[in-house]
Amino acid sequence: MNHPLDSRAAEQSEKAAHLHRQAKLNCDRAELTTAIALCQQAIKLQPHCPIYYHTLGQIFHSLDKIFPALRCYDKARNLQPELIPATAYFTLGNALAQREQFDGAIQCYQTALQINPNYPEVYLNLGVIRRKQGNIYAAVTCYRQAIALNPHFALAYFSLGNALMQQKQLDGAIAAYIETLFIQPQFEDAYLQLCYLFFQKGSTESALACALHILPFEEINAFYSGPLLPLKLTSYTHPSPAIEVVPIQPKFYYYLSAPKTFENSIHRYFKWEAYLNPETFVAILNNGRAWGDAHNTAIFTADGGCLDEVSQGSAEAIAVSPKLPPPTQIDGTVAFLTVRGGRTYYHWQADLLPRIELLRQSNIDFAAIDFFAVNSCDLPFQQDSLQLLGIPPEKIIESTKLPHIKAKKLLVPSLPGQVGLIAKWSSEFLRETFLPQKATPKLDQPRRLYITRQTASYRQVVNEEEVVQFLSQYGFVKISLESLSFAEQIGLFAVADAIVAPHGAGLTNAVYCQAGTKIIEIFSPTGISINYWLLANVVGLEYYYLLGGDLEAYYSRSEERRRYYTHPLYEDIWVDISALGKLMKWAEMG
């Protein structure tokens, strides 16, 4: 015969289990207030059942009620230690750390480490808190523990670099940032920190290289003492069973017309008399390997050689890195088109798209290409241009998602010209391909354009309002190209008579202008580039340039605060209106 107390306990247990099931169902329906009440009823009936506390803690956690969640997890863990995973305390600790409730966060992290002592992310976040509390030595210890547990933890190396820099251990900080880039060669802030440190050490050239996201190989040799893979550079010109080369065009020169300016002399950057277009080709690599990100590309043959002519940025650093994530194996033929800067409007058109034309000219069966690797395909101009070139979305590999690949057959077209400079043949390819697809001009479409950079994060015109007001007297209209589709941008430039613009990617569209269109490009005195002068030469445009005035002088009489950048190419521009007016008269625009 059952004892009445046993029957009652069984009844309570069954009722509590039913309430818990109902709570879970309410969670699934996002009826969390009801779910909380049901869990609490279950706990009253069975206060020693850990799973009920666990579920209630999860609900409080999802509602960002950190301390009630923590109490529930602690209760469940006391009753059944293995029930609550370390991740639960880790995420609670993160939530408390975001609220700057550091003592509670540390307690959570320490509990997480009791459950799982091999949790590198916990050590990293503990280090972050210790550094914020001013205990830099404890922070360094935490970062080193995180790295010991995961030697491929880029953020831990970066954080270690920051801590060592704070301790004035500059060489150690540089080595830590190099480790960061060995794991994630696109790690933006690591380049910026190296830029600062090399300036501190008087290595101006290396600092400027890092500002442009290039890690000088000599600095790796100088500051990095860990094991490196052997550096084996190879060339498409060297006979090798690992590379088959399909030549496309021989190298050739074309002569350049000097830019026009009212100054007595032309800036030394514009003294080129001719442009050498290097020979173009397609390299075919069986079992080839490729790395691609926003700042770097590196192509490797099956025998480990880094193909120099088609690798960009910090390719040598990538070649010697022992810590890259393993490549994704692709069983098929991949055309690797990713280029340095390929998420930008200029490099996408000047460097990446013409490589598709090289593939077409190589007599390789275009239909047999299984995939095309590009930097990314999330921006409208990328999607539009690939669609017009007949490359379907299902054949795209985005290097932002798969930076490291290995293919059964890797097709690598050469760059179309010298790095970053548009080639004559590629400008013709762009015009022939995309001009027929331009948007139909509107009746009121302006023929004189001022291209603004007001939404850009650097190289802005600081007195743009004054510039726009001055130019409006001569029929110029301010245009923000970011608001236009790819076809609309082409259509706008195709009918323009005159364009004034600060140096920037918007001038890429000058490739679609009619011969004789007048261009005035405005530079900071320290940030001059020949990209669009060269483009004007190959398209047949009438090119003028204007150097901005002294920014220090401008800010000395302005209440605005000057912005500083890591490289002269990013500097803002102050336009001297009188000089602009003089140049416009010289160009017969005024």
Side-chain angles (χ1 to χ4, degrees):
M1 181 177 178
N2 291 334
H3 194 280
L5 289 177
D6 292 338
S7 299
R8 187 179 174 208
E11 184 181 333
Q12 286 184 322
S13 175
E14 186 178 338
K15 187 175 180 180
H18 174 73
L19 289 167
H20 182 248
R21 288 193 295 272
Q22 292 300 309
K24 300 280 275 186
L25 288 171
N26 278 273
C27 282
D28 294 340
R29 294 194 291 262
E31 296 173 357
L32 300 184
T33 302
T34 302
I36 289 171
L38 290 166
C39 276
Q40 289 171 335
Q41 290 176 47
I43 288 169
K44 282 182 181 178
L45 291 170
Q46 276 201 302
H48 301 295
C49 184
I51 191 67
Y52 302 158
Y53 292 102
H54 183 203
T55 300
L56 184 57
Q58 288 178 314
I59 298 170
F60 281 134
H61 195 167
S62 69
L63 291 170
D64 205 30
K65 294 183 176 182
I66 304 305
F67 288 107
L70 188 56
R71 286 193 292 271
C72 289
Y73 285 157
D74 284 344
K75 184 68 175 177
R77 187 164 172 265
N78 288 334
L79 293 166
Q80 187 178 339
E82 71 278 7
L83 182 62
I84 308 298
T87 52
Y89 284 96
F90 175 63
T91 53
L92 286 175
N94 294 343
L96 290 169
Q98 288 176 353
R99 293 167 167 79
E100 296 192 350
Q101 296 179 16
F102 294 141
D103 291 342
I106 290 170
Q107 184 181 350
C108 284
Y109 291 147
Q110 288 172 340
T111 304
L113 289 173
Q114 289 172 12
I115 299 169
N116 178 10
N118 300 318
Y119 203 148
E121 290 80 8
V122 175
Y123 282 110
L124 171 67
N125 289 9
L126 265 175
V128 171
I129 290 178
R130 295 304 189 194
R131 188 173 172 219
K132 286 181 178 178
Q133 291 177 324
N135 191 342
I136 195 69
Y137 297 100
V140 168
T141 300
C142 288
Y143 297 144
R144 292 196 187 281
Q145 286 173 306
I147 290 165
L149 291 168
N150 180 6
H152 294 79
F153 198 173
L155 192 54
Y157 279 110
F158 179 73
S159 300
L160 176 62
N162 292 343
L164 293 174
M165 186 164 66
Q166 191 172 336
Q167 289 181 318
K168 308 299 182 186
Q169 297 183 41
L170 303 192
D171 290 1
I174 290 171
Y177 293 135
I178 290 173
E179 288 269 20
T180 306
L181 293 173
F182 278 173
I183 302 164
Q184 290 185 16
Q186 71 275 30
F187 203 115
E188 181 88 16
D189 288 344
Y191 287 108
L192 296 179
Q193 296 292 71
L194 284 170
C195 172
Y196 171 79
L197 287 173
F198 287 136
F199 270 128
Q200 291 288 102
K201 295 180 74 69
S203 303
T204 303
E205 192 173 332
S206 291
L208 292 176
C210 288
L212 294 176
H213 311 105
I214 296 175
L215 176 59
F217 190 69
E218 59 270 20
E219 301 296 2
I220 296 174
N221 289 328
F223 291 98
Y224 186 75
S225 58
L228 297 173
L229 297 176
L231 178 60
K232 181 182 176 183
L233 296 178
T234 189
S235 169
Y236 77 97
T237 59
H238 297 161
S240 167
I243 310 171
E244 178 188 346
V245 176
V246 180
I248 308 295
Q249 302 163 333
K251 64 182 178 182
F252 61 91
Y253 288 91
Y254 56 88
Y255 293 94
L256 303 174
S257 298
K260 300 179 181 180
T261 179
F262 60 82
E263 302 288 351
N264 293 328
S265 62
I266 294 171
H267 193 278
R268 67 183 187 280
Y269 283 18
F270 298 105
K271 293 289 179 72
W272 288 24
E273 294 181 356
Y275 170 71
L276 170 62
N277 203 103
E279 57 189 325
T280 55
F281 59 89
V282 174
I284 304 172
L285 287 68
N286 291 322
N287 297 310
R289 182 167 59 91
W291 175 277
D293 63 51
H295 311 306
N296 313 284
T297 62
I299 308 298
F300 299 96
T301 59
D303 58 4
C306 181
L307 193 55
D308 191 42
E309 293 88 354
V310 288
S311 299
Q312 297 176 276
S314 304
E316 291 179 342
I318 292 168
V320 300
S321 169
K323 292 189 174 180
L324 290 181
T328 299
Q329 181 70 49
I330 298 171
D331 186 19
T333 299
V334 178
F336 187 83
L337 307 175
T338 298
V339 294
R340 174 176 160 83
R343 275 185 62 81
T344 64
Y345 195 73
Y346 176 79
H347 289 287
W348 178 265
Q349 294 191 70
D351 295 335
L352 188 148
L353 293 182
R355 302 179 89 183
I356 298 172
E357 178 63 11
L358 291 178
L359 284 172
R360 287 183 168 150
Q361 292 182 20
S362 68
N363 294 322
I364 293 169
D365 184 0
F366 203 79
I369 300 174
D370 299 297
F371 299 102
F372 297 82
V374 300
N375 294 73
S376 58
C377 195
D378 59 320
L379 301 172
F381 70 83
Q382 296 171 330
Q383 296 167 356
D384 293 347
S385 53
L386 289 175
Q387 181 182 5
L388 291 170
L389 286 164
I391 299 177
E394 62 269 19
K395 282 196 169 189
I396 295 296
I397 292 172
E398 296 182 84
S399 293
T400 49
K401 298 174 182 175
L402 286 180
H404 200 186
I405 61 172
K406 185 176 183 181
K408 188 174 181 180
K409 181 177 284 187
L410 191 67
L411 308 178
V412 187
S414 64
L415 292 167
Q418 294 188 36
V419 175
L421 301 179
I422 197 161
K424 184 174 177 63
W425 72 265
S426 54
S427 71
E428 293 166 354
F429 155 71
L430 293 171
R431 291 175 64 84
E432 290 168 7
T433 303
F434 298 122
L435 268 174
Q437 311 299 327
K438 68 181 184 294
T440 304
K442 300 174 184 176
L443 291 176
D444 60 345
Q445 185 163 304
R447 297 300 195 261
R448 289 188 160 199
L449 315 176
Y450 170 74
I451 309 303
T452 179
R453 285 184 57 84
Q454 66 181 15
T455 60
S457 57
Y458 59 90
R459 208 185 306 121
Q460 292 186 348
V461 174
V462 294
N463 61 328
E464 184 168 85
E465 224 175 279
E466 186 183 12
V467 172
V468 170
Q469 186 176 357
F470 172 77
L471 290 173
S472 65
Q473 303 172 66
Y474 302 97
F476 282 82
V477 175
K478 176 182 172 181
I479 301 292
S480 177
L481 295 175
E482 292 83 357
S483 63
L484 302 177
S485 70
F486 183 52
E488 287 171 333
Q489 292 186 54
I490 295 171
L492 191 67
F493 277 71
V495 298
D497 298 325
I499 298 162
V500 176
H503 174 68
L507 275 173
T508 308
N509 292 303
V511 75
Y512 304 111
C513 288
Q514 298 303 309
T517 302
K518 296 180 178 182
I519 305 281
I520 293 180
E521 184 175 13
I522 307 172
F523 297 102
S524 157
T526 59
I528 300 165
S529 167
I530 66 170
N531 297 49
Y532 300 114
W533 167 55
L534 189 66
L535 187 154
N537 266 274
V538 300
V539 177
L541 310 179
E542 202 171 307
Y543 179 89
Y544 302 80
Y545 74 90
L546 177 69
L547 299 185
D550 184 355
L551 269 179
E552 285 295 339
Y554 169 78
Y555 281 106
S556 68
R557 30 177 216 276
S558 167
E559 294 182 1
E560 298 175 55
R561 196 173 188 180
R562 180 172 178 175
R563 300 190 301 176
Y564 289 91
Y565 302 93
T566 56
H567 197 280
L569 278 174
Y570 303 147
E571 280 290 354
D572 291 332
I573 302 168
W574 172 58
V575 179
D576 183 330
I577 298 299
S578 62
L580 177 59
K582 188 174 180 181
L583 181 58
M584 288 183 64
K585 287 181 181 177
W586 180 271
E588 298 180 347
M589 293 187 196

